[in-house]
């Protein structure tokens, strides 16, 4: 298994930027494709971005494509989500997730085996 801890959330004005980090425990980080999901109050958890095991392939939800970027560092056992041009609609709890069997094309919450505790991102207008 892998344990995931998110950090970097906070309050930012519309148009601003935040960089989220997800630190993974253990020595098998590169065995997992990684993703970010988010969940706003009263809404289902939704896919944001995913990255392949070696970092070479990424995928994004249409709502964030061109604004967000996912990356991973397999030496530091960390996955990042760079969020630019933030909008109030991006306000949510952001979760890091890992899948052993899936890949960067996996977009369903059921595809992922391990989850972090989440970090709050609030974008004010």
């Amino acid at each position: 298994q892998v344990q995931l801890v998110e950090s970097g959330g906070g309050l930012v004005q519309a148009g601003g930027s935040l960089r989220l980090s997800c630190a993974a425990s253990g020595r098998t980080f590169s065995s997992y494709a990684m993703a970010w999901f988010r969940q706003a109050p009263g809404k289902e958890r939704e896919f944001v971005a995913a990255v392949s095991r070696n970092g070479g392939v990424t995928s994004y939800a249409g709502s964030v494509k061109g604004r967000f970027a996912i990356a991973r560092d397999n030496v530091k056992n960390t996955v990042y989500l760079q969020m630019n041009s933030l909008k109030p609609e991006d306000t949510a709890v952001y979760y890091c997730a890992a899948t052993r069997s899936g890949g960067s094309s996996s977009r369903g919450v059921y595809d992922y085996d391990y989850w972090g505790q989440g970090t709050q991102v609030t974008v004010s207008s």
Side-chain angles (χ1 to χ4, degrees):
Q1 64 176 18
V2 61
Q3 296 170 240
L4 307 172
V5 180
E6 302 96 334
S7 63
L11 176 64
V12 65
Q13 291 186 331
S17 298
L18 282 174
R19 182 177 174 87
L20 306 183
S21 297
C22 174
S25 67
R27 303 287 175 86
T28 60
F29 179 64
S30 62
S31 297
Y32 302 90
M34 302 295 297
W36 289 94
F37 287 75
R38 67 187 183 186
Q39 187 166 23
K43 301 194 70 175
E44 295 184 354
R45 192 168 298 187
E46 67 173 344
F47 172 81
V48 176
V51 61
S52 62
R53 289 164 176 80
N54 66 0
V57 182
T58 59
S59 63
Y60 299 91
S63 58
V64 307
K65 193 171 186 178
R67 299 189 297 121
F68 291 11
I70 188 171
R72 68 189 296 161
D73 186 333
N74 286 351
V75 175
K76 296 183 177 180
N77 278 16
T78 302
V79 62
Y80 305 95
L81 185 68
Q82 178 67 48
M83 304 185 293
N84 300 321
S85 301
L86 282 162
K87 304 174 180 180
E89 306 94 276
D90 296 318
T91 295
V93 176
Y94 283 71
Y95 297 91
C96 178
T99 176
R100 182 179 291 276
S101 60
S104 60
S105 63
S106 299
R107 293 179 172 234
V109 295
Y110 41 80
D111 292 323
Y112 290 85
D113 305 299
Y114 306 102
W115 296 83
Q117 84 288 349
T119 186
Q120 176 71 48
V121 172
T122 303
V123 184
S124 65
S125 59

